[in-house]
Amino acid sequence: MGDTYGSRRLKPARYRCGIVDQPGGRLTPRFGSLCMTIATRQTAAGLDVDKLLRMYRQMTAIRLFEERVNDLYTRALMPGLAHLYIGEEAVAVGICEALRPDDYITSTHRGHGHCLAKGAAPRLMFAELLGKEAGYCKGKGGSMHIADPATGNLGANAIVAGGAGIATGAAFSSKYLGTGRMAVCFFGEGALGQGVLYETMNMAQLWKLPVLYACENNLYNEYTHYSETTAGDMLARPAAFGIAAESVDGQNVRAVHTAASAMVERARRGDGPGFLLLNTYRYRGHHVGDVAREYYRSKQEEQRWMTERDPIALHGEWLVAEGLADRATLDRIHAEVAAEMDAAVEFALNAPYPDPGRVDEDVYA
Amino acid sequence: MPETATAVRELTFGEAIREALAEELRRDPRVVLLGEDVAEAGTAFKVLKGLVEEFGKDRVIDTPISEPGFTGLAVGAAMTGMRPIVDIMFGDFMALIMDQVVNQAAKVHYMSGGKWKVPLVVRATMGATRRSAAQHSQSLHAWPSHVPGLKVVVPSTPHDAKGLLKSAIRDDNPVVFFEDKISYAKVKGPVPDGDYTIPLGVADVKREGRDITLVATSSMVQVALGAATMLEEVGISAEVVDPRTMWPLDEKTLVESVRKTSRAMVIDEGYFRYGVTGEIASVIAEGAFYDLDGPVRRLGARHVPVPFSPALEDATVPTERAVFELARKMCNKS
Ligand SMILES: Cc1ncc(C[n+]2csc(CCOP(=O)(O)OP(=O)(O)O)c2C)c(N)n1
C-alpha cells in the first residue's frame, strides 16, 4: 500500500525530498498530556511530518502504557484483570488520527489503546485502572469501561459487540442533529458472531449514517482461532449490506490511516458507513493472566509477529529510511513518553480511593 | 402534582398515550419515535396513528425487525443529544433487548462515573387474555425493575398514562414504560387537555377504604376496583393503591395505607414467583409488620407459560372474583 495519505492531498511540496517547514507553529491540543507545540511540515509526497511523528509517539504511548499495566498487575497493585492492546497499536492510532476531537468512538474490553489514541490522559486512565477517585469514571468503571465525553469516548464496553448500537446511535444523532460528527465502532473479530452488529450495520447503511465499523482481527476470540468460529469471507458480511469495506494491514499505521481517512471522508459526506477489516495480532495473552498460551498458539507464531510485523518498529524504520526522523529523535520520543507514563503511574498509585459512601452516587442522573 | 392543564375529556388509555407522545414531539425536537410499523401503520395496536402525518418519517421512524439493534441505536442517540422513544410491540420481546437495556442503558451513567446520560424511553406492552398464547402475552415488568439504573412505569388509567409518559420522556434516565394492551381501548377516563406531568415514584390511592389495602398494578387496578365494589356490598371497605411506578417505588404510601387498614393484598399480572408481588409484600411486611392482622397475601399470574385456549388462559390471570374471595377470607367475613 502506497502512502497516498487519504484522498485529501496536502499542499504540493516545494522540494523533491526533505522537509518543508511551514511558517507559524500549530498547537495539537487533543493529545492531552502528550501535547506539544510543533510546526506543520510536509514531506515531498505531501505527507504531514508532524502527524507521522505523532503517530509514532502515540503508538509508543500505548505500548508503554500497557507495559506498565502488566507490571502493575504482576506486582499485585491493580485490582482485577486487563486486556492488553500491545501489538495492535497501529489500528487505534491510524484510525483516531483520521478523526476530529469531537468525533465519537466506542471501545471494547481491549480498549486502552482506543481511549489513549482518542486523547485520554494516561494518569486519569491509570487512576481508573487502579480504582481511584481521580480516574475517568471515579473508579466505578475500571479497565473495561473508560468513558470520557471530553474526548468523544462513549465508553469501552465489556459486552462483545456492545458498542455496535451505541456507535450507530451516535452516528444517527449526528445526522439528525446535523453536527457532522463521525462515530467509530471498534470491535474484535469475535464480535462478528453477534447479531446486533448486523442489525445496526443494516440500519446504518439504510439511513446512510456516518459510522465506521473497525474490525480488529487479531486472529483469536479469547482462546480460539477465528477460523473455528467464523464462516465464509469476513468482508462479504458488510458487503452484503452494500457497505464500503476494505481489508487493511493493521501493522502499518500509514496504511490504516489512509484507509480510515477515506472511509471517514465519504461517511461524513453522507455516502454511508464504512467497514475496515484490520489484520493485526495481540502479542500478549487474552488478558494479563493468560500466560500459558501454547495450547492455542505457538511461541514461534508470536515471535514472528513481534520481530517481523511490529507496528512501532516498522513505522520507526520507515521514518528513518525516509529521512523524516533519525534514531536519536525516536529514542528521545521513547524516553519522553516513558517518563510521562512513569509519572502517570506514580500519580495513580498515590491517588486516594473513593469514599465508600459514594457507592450509591451516579446510579441515576 | 404540577398540573396546569384545564379542560378534561374522556379518552381511552391508547388515546392518552398518543396525546402525550404528540405533545412531547411538538415540544421537543430531540424526541423521536423508533420501532416496527410505527409510521403509517401507527403500530400493530394503532396507538401511534396520525403521528407520522404531523411529524414526518424523520421523527416517526419505521425500523427493521431488529429489537436489539434499534434499542441499542437509541441508547447511543440518547447519549449524544437526543431523546429517543423506542416501541417494543410485545413486551415479550423484552427478552430480545435485555442486553441493550440492562447491560448498556442501565449502566452507562454509573460506569462512566456520572459523565454520560441515557434519556431513553422504552415503551413495551404487557397483559394476557387476548388469546395470543405464550410469546405474546407476558407481563415482564419485574425484569427491568430488578436492575439499578432503570426506572419502570406501569400506568393504569388514561390520566396517569399521559402524565407519567411525559415525565418519562423528560427524565434523564432510561425508563421502561409498560402499557397494558387490553387497556388501550377498554379503559376510558378523564384526561386533562394540554400539558401536565405526574412525577415518577408517587403512588396514587385510587379508592379509599378502612379494612384492607389492595395494592394493584397496571391492568390489575381495574380488577381491584371491581373487587372493591363487590366487597363493599358485603360490608368490607377496601382501599386500592396503585404504585404507578415499580421503580422508584413509593414505599411510604404503601406502608401508610396498610398501617391504617391492617390488611394487605398485592395483585399483579406478572408471574407470581420471584416478581412484583413478592417485592411489594416484603416492603409492606418490613414497614407495617406490627400493624398487620395477618400475612400479606399475593395474587399474580399463574406460574405457567400463558396458554392459548380461553378455557385455560382465563385461569392464569387474577380476576375480580378471586380478589373478592381472598379479601373476604382475610377480613374473616366468608
Ligand atoms: C457477549 C459476550 N460474550 C462473551 C464475552 C466473554 N469474552 C470477553 S472477550 C471475548 C473474546 C473477544 O474476542 P474478540 O472480539 O476477537 O476481541 P479480542 O479479545 O480478540 O480483542 C469473550 C468471548 C463477553 N465479554 N461478551
Coordinates of all heavy atoms in Angstrom, one line a residue, chain A residues 109-110 158-160 188-191 194 218 220-222 286, ligand 1:
Chain A
H109 N -13.4 -4.3 25.5 CA -12.7 -4.8 26.7 C -11.2 -4.6 26.5 O -10.5 -4.5 27.5 CB -13.0 -6.3 26.9 CG -12.6 -7.1 25.8 ND1 -13.4 -7.2 24.6 CD2 -11.6 -8.0 25.5 CE1 -12.9 -8.0 23.7 NE2 -11.8 -8.5 24.2
R110 N -10.7 -4.6 25.3 CA -9.3 -4.4 25.0 C -9.2 -2.9 24.6 O -8.7 -2.6 23.4 CB -8.8 -5.3 23.9 CG -7.3 -5.5 23.8 CD -6.9 -6.5 22.7 NE -7.6 -7.8 22.9 CZ -7.3 -8.6 23.9 NH1 -6.3 -8.3 24.7 NH2 -7.9 -9.8 24.1
A158 N -17.7 -4.0 27.9 CA -17.2 -5.4 28.2 C -18.2 -6.4 27.6 O -18.0 -7.6 27.9 CB -17.1 -5.6 29.7
I159 N -19.2 -6.0 26.9 CA -20.1 -6.9 26.2 C -19.5 -7.0 24.8 O -19.4 -5.9 24.1 CB -21.5 -6.5 26.2 CG1 -22.1 -6.3 27.6 CG2 -22.4 -7.5 25.4 CD1 -22.2 -7.6 28.4
V160 N -19.2 -8.1 24.3 CA -18.7 -8.2 22.9 C -19.7 -7.7 21.9 O -20.9 -8.1 22.0 CB -18.2 -9.7 22.6 CG1 -18.0 -9.9 21.1 CG2 -17.0 -10.1 23.4
G188 N -13.5 -6.5 18.1 CA -12.6 -7.6 17.7 C -13.4 -8.5 16.7 O -14.6 -8.4 16.7
E189 N -12.7 -9.3 16.0 CA -13.4 -10.2 15.0 C -14.3 -11.1 15.8 O -15.3 -11.6 15.1 CB -12.3 -11.0 14.2 CG -11.8 -12.3 14.8 CD -10.9 -12.0 16.0 OE1 -10.4 -10.9 16.2 OE2 -10.7 -13.0 16.8
G190 N -14.2 -11.3 17.1 CA -15.1 -12.1 17.8 C -16.5 -11.6 17.8 O -17.5 -12.3 17.8
A191 N -16.6 -10.2 17.6 CA -17.9 -9.6 17.6 C -18.7 -9.9 16.3 O -19.9 -9.7 16.2 CB -17.8 -8.1 17.7
Q194 N -21.9 -11.8 16.8 CA -23.1 -11.1 17.5 C -24.1 -10.5 16.5 O -23.7 -9.7 15.7 CB -22.6 -10.0 18.4 CG -21.9 -10.6 19.7 CD -22.8 -11.1 20.7 OE1 -24.0 -11.1 20.5 NE2 -22.2 -11.6 21.8
N218 N -7.4 -9.9 15.4 CA -6.1 -10.3 16.0 C -6.0 -11.8 16.0 O -5.2 -12.4 16.8 CB -5.9 -9.6 17.3 CG -7.0 -10.1 18.3 OD1 -7.7 -11.0 18.1 ND2 -7.1 -9.4 19.4
Y220 N -7.6 -14.2 17.2 CA -8.2 -15.1 18.3 C -9.4 -14.4 19.0 O -9.3 -13.3 19.3 CB -7.1 -15.4 19.3 CG -6.0 -16.2 18.7 CD1 -4.9 -15.6 18.2 CD2 -6.1 -17.6 18.6 CE1 -3.9 -16.3 17.5 CE2 -5.1 -18.3 18.0 CZ -4.0 -17.7 17.5 OH -3.0 -18.4 16.8
N221 N -10.5 -15.2 19.1 CA -11.6 -14.8 20.0 C -11.2 -15.4 21.4 O -11.3 -16.6 21.5 CB -12.9 -15.4 19.7 CG -13.3 -15.5 18.2 OD1 -14.3 -16.1 17.9 ND2 -12.6 -14.8 17.3
E222 N -10.7 -14.7 22.3 CA -10.2 -15.2 23.5 C -9.2 -16.3 23.2 O -8.1 -15.9 22.8 CB -11.4 -15.8 24.4 CG -11.8 -14.9 25.5 CD -12.9 -15.5 26.4 OE1 -13.3 -16.6 26.2 OE2 -13.2 -14.7 27.3
H286 N -4.8 -13.2 26.2 CA -6.2 -12.6 26.1 C -6.3 -11.5 27.2 O -6.8 -10.4 27.0 CB -7.2 -13.6 26.2 CG -8.6 -13.0 26.3 ND1 -9.2 -12.2 25.4 CD2 -9.5 -13.1 27.3 CE1 -10.4 -11.8 25.8 NE2 -10.6 -12.3 26.9
Ligands
LIG1 C1 -21.4 -11.1 24.8 C2 -20.2 -11.6 25.4 N1 -19.9 -12.9 25.3 C3 -18.7 -13.3 25.8 C4 -17.9 -12.5 26.4 C5 -16.6 -13.0 27.1 N2 -15.4 -12.5 26.2 C6 -14.7 -11.5 26.6 S1 -13.6 -11.1 25.4 C7 -14.0 -12.4 24.4 C8 -13.3 -12.6 23.1 C9 -13.5 -11.5 22.2 O1 -12.8 -11.7 21.1 P1 -12.6 -10.5 20.0 O2 -13.9 -9.8 19.9 O3 -12.0 -11.1 18.8 O4 -11.7 -9.5 20.8 P2 -10.2 -9.7 21.3 O5 -10.3 -10.1 22.7 O6 -9.6 -10.6 20.4 O7 -9.6 -8.3 21.2 C10 -15.1 -13.1 25.0 C11 -15.7 -14.3 24.4 C12 -18.2 -11.1 26.5 N3 -17.5 -10.3 27.2 N4 -19.4 -10.7 26.0

